[in-house]
Amino acid sequence: MNTIENIDENPNQESLTQPPTQTQNQTQSHSRRPRGFAATAAAAAAAAANNNSNNNNNNASSGKGKKEREKEKERTKLRERHRRAITSRMLAGLRQYGNFPLPARADMNDVLAALAREAGWTVEPDGTTYRLSNQSQSHHHLHQQMAAAAATTTAAFPVRSVESPLSVKNCSVKASVECQPSVLRIDESLSPASFDSVVIPERDSRGGEFNASTSPINNSVECLEADQLIQDVRAGEHEDDFTGTPYIPVYVMLANHVINNFCQLVDPELIRQEISHMKALNVDGVIVNCWWGIVEGWNPQKYAWSGYRELFNIIREFNLKVQVVMAFHEYGANDSGDAWISLPQWVMEIGKGNQDIFFTDREGRRNTECLSWGVDKERVLNGRTGIEVYFDFMRSFRTEFDDLFVAGLICAVEIGLGPSGELKYPSLSERMGWRYPGIGEFQCYDRYLQQSLRKAAKLRGHSFWARGPDNAGQYNSLPHETGFFCERGDYDSYYGRFFLNWYAQTLIDHADNVLSLASLAFEETKIIVKVPGVYWWYKTASHAAELTAGYYNPSNQDGYAPVFEVLKKHSVTMKFVCAVPSLQDQEALADPEGLSWQVLNLAWDRGLAVAGENALSCYDREGCMRVVEMAKPRNDPDRRHFSFFMYQQPSSLLQGTICFSDLGYVIKCMHGDIAGDLLP
């Protein structure tokens, strides 16, 4: 820098020895590069210019790449959730049906080790796996396996039995199993533990040949014919013995028309005859619906209990227990000849001026089966909120019949939380045109639920999500016909998950709000909540019918766990509607047994008391025996069972719809007093 300054100050200094033109040329040709801070500043400016140009060129491509990476991340999460759901169900099935002692957080190594040990292999803690080669030990282990498998299958499953003793002396070992067709036909209903009766020949690790000492049974027809080894015994040779099983109290629901719309007992003598028949069948108690539309039917907070007082006095004569249902819903289908019970008349009058107090579908049609959960905290019922109306009704009942609570006649109270008294949306309503196996429609289009949805969308930061899905079909649509419920449909998109979470949380909040007040009204009394059995389309990924009913239970998520957390919070008994398979279920990809397995075991694992109720289709002996098996699963190592069972009848017992001998048979099986054939 000093040199440059000297040259500037003495421009003629070098002209003493050089011509002016030569001096200018030298100055231009020998211009020095900037050094120090100047060099650093120049380099930074050049780098900034390059970065700006590169950023401008890469903005579009980087934005697209980021979106793709986010989408791939989301797809990976979905695949992982789906894989975990499948693994969880496989482990649960192995624990239940195979009695495998798998740890709580089992992985695939634990499963492989358990299967190998069950098949006769020795698995060391370090993973070393081998089979003893001694022929006598193999024969002894084989006989132990077959005896254990026979005992397991005979005790728990309708399987095939061995017709003649098995001999291994005359079995010829083939050179290749692949060349011989398998002659063993395994029943799909066998449990994993029963597979031990099928022994597959083992290859010798050195030569690839089959080792006769370790595989005494092979596929050769010269050894055993299939008919000699396996025989179907479902025709009644095997009987399931219910003697000695846990005692499960049985309650029978009284007909709904015993009390008329003016809260008067219709026919006391007929009621006495019917209860007398129940007593003869050794029923433990009866269940009575207390209808909101009858008791508070004409004026708000004017309660008429006279008919129920007379009914309870008759029941007391026979020394039977009573469970009472707080029925806050309508009753009676359009094509039914039974009595029709509506909501209170003063509520219907309010509904004429404000139809948004009722559930509403996408087309704007109102469903008057029960009040919308959007009015739970809205003062639209003559100055009261929905939950205040429910609480006043429950408190009035508890005060009116305090003597019966003290005497122990009324032993439990069931709280109606939706249509049919079940905790669900009225998405599967026959009066709206629904028929099985339709997926139903979302019921969230009244003003108050729409306000709640808008608030939730705003809090999420996506106000445009404040809408119901526009591609979810109609009541009788099938999942694959809709863009929302089909495979990889919108139900699993960002918006779909937001909407379904909000929809299910609204159901949970309603249960929490009502049960909080019910616990105050019925202190020290057992409280019951009925959970529906929506089992059709259970074998699809979306579980569409469950989603519209309010249970966010697709294949990659457990939708019943948050519901049961609320029930556990209020120490509630969960009553599940038990259904059995039918011919119609195949077309609807239904799985009533799979749903029952998920719901019942989850409730038991959460520490809930569990009860059951038969669906209206379970009236033949086969269906009832399946329900008995569900009520007290004999292969449960913890011996868990229902706390009680409610038998729901289509009409009065005296009308002859139900065979008394069959009902008595079911009661004896539930009580553990008789041996019952599960599959007659």
Side-chain angles (χ1 to χ4, degrees), residues 556-626:
N556 58 358
Q557 182 163 330
D558 191 341
Y560 294 90
V563 177
F564 292 165
E565 289 297 332
V566 171
L567 302 188
K568 177 64 175 178
K569 170 184 173 182
H570 299 287
S571 302
V572 168
T573 297
M574 191 278 294
K575 184 169 72 173
F576 182 65
V577 180
C578 307
V580 297
S582 65
L583 296 177
Q584 295 178 324
D585 295 342
Q586 297 178 358
E587 299 179 357
L589 295 177
D591 189 6
E593 293 178 332
L595 176 64
S596 300
W597 162 249
Q598 177 189 359
V599 171
L600 297 180
N601 283 276
L602 180 63
W604 277 323
D605 291 343
R606 289 292 190 278
L608 285 173
V610 177
E613 171 185 323
N614 64 298
L616 286 175
S617 58
C618 303
Y619 293 122
D620 58 352
R621 177 170 292 192
E622 177 180 348
C624 290
M625 288 301 99
R626 287 185 180 273

Side-chain angles (χ1 to χ4, degrees), residues 197-274:
S197 60
V198 181
V199 182
I200 301 177
E202 176 188 350
R203 287 185 183 274
D204 184 66
S205 59
R206 293 168 296 180
E209 297 295 329
F210 286 93
N211 189 346
S213 65
T214 59
S215 57
I217 298 179
N218 58 60
N219 289 16
S220 173
V221 294
E222 300 176 11
C223 175
L224 285 176
E225 294 292 340
D227 293 338
Q228 293 176 328
L229 181 64
I230 302 175
Q231 180 183 9
D232 192 348
V233 293
R234 291 192 176 185
E237 297 178 5
H238 171 69
E239 290 186 352
D240 292 299
D241 191 0
F242 290 100
T243 56
T245 57
Y247 183 96
I248 298 179
V250 178
Y251 292 79
V252 177
M253 173 74 78
L254 288 181
N256 290 305
H257 58 266
V258 297
I259 303 288
N260 63 21
N261 288 333
F262 299 95
C263 202
Q264 298 172 341
L265 193 61
V266 175
D267 193 337
E269 289 305 318
L270 184 63
I271 294 299
R272 281 189 172 87
Q273 294 179 27
E274 184 167 359

Side-chain angles (χ1 to χ4, degrees), residues 377-504:
K377 296 185 178 181
E378 298 288 339
R379 297 193 175 278
V380 294
L381 302 173
N382 285 347
R384 292 186 294 168
T385 65
I387 58 175
E388 287 175 350
V389 168
Y390 304 144
F391 176 68
D392 290 342
F393 182 84
M394 293 185 289
R395 183 174 55 183
S396 173
F397 176 82
R398 180 62 180 83
T399 303
E400 176 69 25
F401 298 104
D402 179 71
D403 57 320
L404 301 184
F405 280 94
V406 173
L409 179 71
I410 300 177
C411 61
V413 177
E414 179 179 327
I415 309 300
L417 294 174
S420 302
E422 300 172 354
L423 180 56
K424 66 178 181 181
Y425 286 89
S427 57
L428 309 167
S429 175
E430 292 187 359
R431 70 177 61 186
M432 306 301 287
W434 174 84
R435 295 295 182 271
Y436 179 86
I439 60 176
E441 285 194 24
F442 291 113
Q443 305 290 313
C444 60
Y445 295 94
D446 62 83
R447 183 206 318 169
Y448 304 104
L449 287 181
Q450 284 293 296
Q451 289 175 356
S452 173
L453 179 57
R454 284 194 294 270
K455 181 179 179 181
K458 185 177 180 180
L459 289 175
R460 181 67 184 273
H462 303 290
S463 298
F464 57 92
W465 281 355
R467 57 179 176 82
D470 54 7
N471 58 348
Q474 298 179 348
Y475 286 100
N476 294 314
S477 298
L478 307 182
H480 62 272
E481 298 174 347
T482 71
F484 193 80
F485 299 113
C486 65
E487 190 74 22
R488 298 184 179 180
D490 291 343
Y491 77 94
D492 212 20
S493 64
Y494 288 106
Y495 158 73
R497 291 197 295 274
F498 159 77
F499 173 78
L500 293 173
N501 269 306
W502 167 83
Y503 192 71

